[in-house]
Amino acid sequence: MRIATFISLCPGGGKRAYVEFIKLLSKNNEIDLYTLLDKEEFSLLEGYVKNIYTFKFETLFLRSPFGFLNIFLNFINLFRLNKLYRKIADIINNKKCDVAFIHHSFYLYMHSPGISRYLKIPNVYYCQEPLRLFYEKMPCYKKISTKTFIFYIFLKPFYILFDLCFKFYDRQNIKKYNLVLCNSFYSKEYIKRAYRIEARVHYLGTD
């Protein structure tokens, strides 16, 4: 079987679990890896995957004193990111892979990739957890200056609007997958509360 797989996660538990999945899947399958990260990030998978396709995505970002305008650039960044997901999905479709195995992407916020909107082959999404920013109360660790606070008050409606757009985008993406897997029954219930979908438990296992 030929499997197309996508991931763009920082080093951590989710990425480590992904590496182990691919090592096992490669025993009887041909794996193509698609990512927004550098190829060097997947040196542990050398010999386990046939091809690694990397795609560059740079978020548009302004530094001080114009940093307050970044919230507007984020709407453009989301549009550009989704356009790239469509490009990746089209490539996967043209490669005539049998199935797509998708994991998180951390760009803008950690989320379910929009590749699901455009895939024409059976696809599976391994959801380690919902987008916590929108489903858990997040602590505020940083005090901000009076000037920054004034800008924030003025721009707050745009922050709220972007968060609502991204939350909707993430929810619609995950609902497009044919099958959603998770790592525990706790995660299964969490995903159900967040997205109103039924995930299937697939434990990570032990080496």
Side-chain angles (χ1 to χ4, degrees), residues 4 7 10 14 17 22 34 49 53 68-69 71 95 124 129 134 160 173 184 186 198 207:
I7 187 172
C10 295
I22 298 306
Y34 297 79
V49 297
Y53 301 98
F68 64 92
L69 295 174
I71 184 59
K95 293 285 186 180
V124 179
E129 63 178 6
F134 300 136
I160 294 173
N173 289 347
S184 69
Y186 172 82
E198 290 288 343
D207 186 342

Side-chain angles (χ1 to χ4, degrees), residues 1-7 18 20-35 45 48-53 88 91-93 95-103 119 121-126 181:
M1 182 182 292
R2 188 173 187 182
I3 301 174
T5 179
F6 175 89
I7 187 172
Y18 169 82
E20 296 304 320
F21 275 134
I22 298 306
K23 285 181 178 179
L24 290 171
L25 287 170
S26 66
K27 291 181 179 179
N28 301 304
N29 304 284
E30 184 179 288
I31 311 288
D32 287 339
L33 194 162
Y34 297 79
T35 184
L45 290 178
Y48 293 98
V49 297
K50 182 177 180 181
N51 301 296
I52 299 180
Y53 301 98
I88 295 171
I91 293 172
I92 292 173
N93 292 331
K95 293 285 186 180
K96 301 187 184 301
C97 296
D98 297 294
V99 65
F101 185 39
I102 312 298
H103 287 246
L119 285 173
I121 61 173
N123 50 79
V124 179
Y125 174 54
Y126 200 95
L181 300 177

Side-chain angles (χ1 to χ4, degrees), residues 13-206:
K15 190 174 178 182
R16 181 178 177 183
Y18 169 82
V19 168
E20 296 304 320
F21 275 134
I22 298 306
K23 285 181 178 179
L24 290 171
L25 287 170
S26 66
K27 291 181 179 179
N28 301 304
N29 304 284
E30 184 179 288
I31 311 288
D32 287 339
L33 194 162
Y34 297 79
T35 184
L36 306 186
L37 303 174
D38 293 331
K39 189 176 292 187
E40 291 73 22
E41 294 278 345
F42 299 95
S43 58
L44 291 175
L45 290 178
E46 186 177 347
Y48 293 98
V49 297
K50 182 177 180 181
N51 301 296
I52 299 180
Y53 301 98
T54 61
F55 301 83
K56 292 295 182 183
F57 181 78
E58 298 289 340
T59 55
L60 301 176
F61 180 79
L62 295 174
R63 298 187 180 278
S64 181
F66 303 106
F68 64 92
L69 295 174
N70 285 324
I71 184 59
F72 301 106
L73 290 180
N74 274 348
F75 288 95
I76 300 174
N77 285 327
L78 179 57
F79 173 81
R80 292 173 56 241
L81 182 61
N82 188 69
K83 187 177 180 180
L84 180 56
Y85 285 148
R86 182 168 191 166
K87 176 182 177 180
I88 295 171
D90 288 343
I91 293 172
I92 292 173
N93 292 331
N94 291 332
K95 293 285 186 180
K96 301 187 184 301
C97 296
D98 297 294
V99 65
F101 185 39
I102 312 298
H103 287 246
H104 284 305
S105 176
F106 71 86
Y107 282 87
L108 300 181
Y109 297 133
M110 192 172 76
H111 62 282
S112 52
I115 293 175
S116 58
R117 296 167 175 263
Y118 311 107
L119 285 173
K120 297 178 181 179
I121 61 173
N123 50 79
V124 179
Y125 174 54
Y126 200 95
C127 182
Q128 298 284 356
E129 63 178 6
L131 209 171
R132 295 172 59 196
L133 176 65
F134 300 136
Y135 302 106
E136 295 181 19
K137 187 176 180 179
M138 306 302 289
C140 181
Y141 298 106
K142 184 179 178 182
K143 290 185 178 181
I144 58 177
S145 66
T146 303
K147 181 180 178 181
T148 304
F149 181 73
I150 292 172
F151 273 122
Y152 174 74
I153 292 299
F154 176 73
L155 296 172
K156 187 176 180 179
F158 299 100
Y159 280 97
I160 294 173
L161 178 60
F162 179 75
D163 283 354
L164 288 174
C165 289
F166 202 95
K167 182 178 181 179
F168 178 78
Y169 178 73
D170 175 64
R171 287 172 65 91
Q172 293 304 114
N173 289 347
I174 198 170
K175 289 181 178 181
K176 294 288 184 180
Y177 287 103
N178 299 143
L179 175 64
V180 177
L181 300 177
C182 61
N183 55 27
S184 69
F185 280 97
Y186 172 82
S187 296
K188 175 184 172 74
E189 292 302 315
Y190 190 180
I191 291 169
K192 186 175 182 178
R193 290 196 307 271
Y195 299 116
R196 301 293 187 268
I197 62 172
E198 290 288 343
R200 185 179 299 177
V201 177
H202 183 83
Y203 292 116
L204 296 179
T206 305

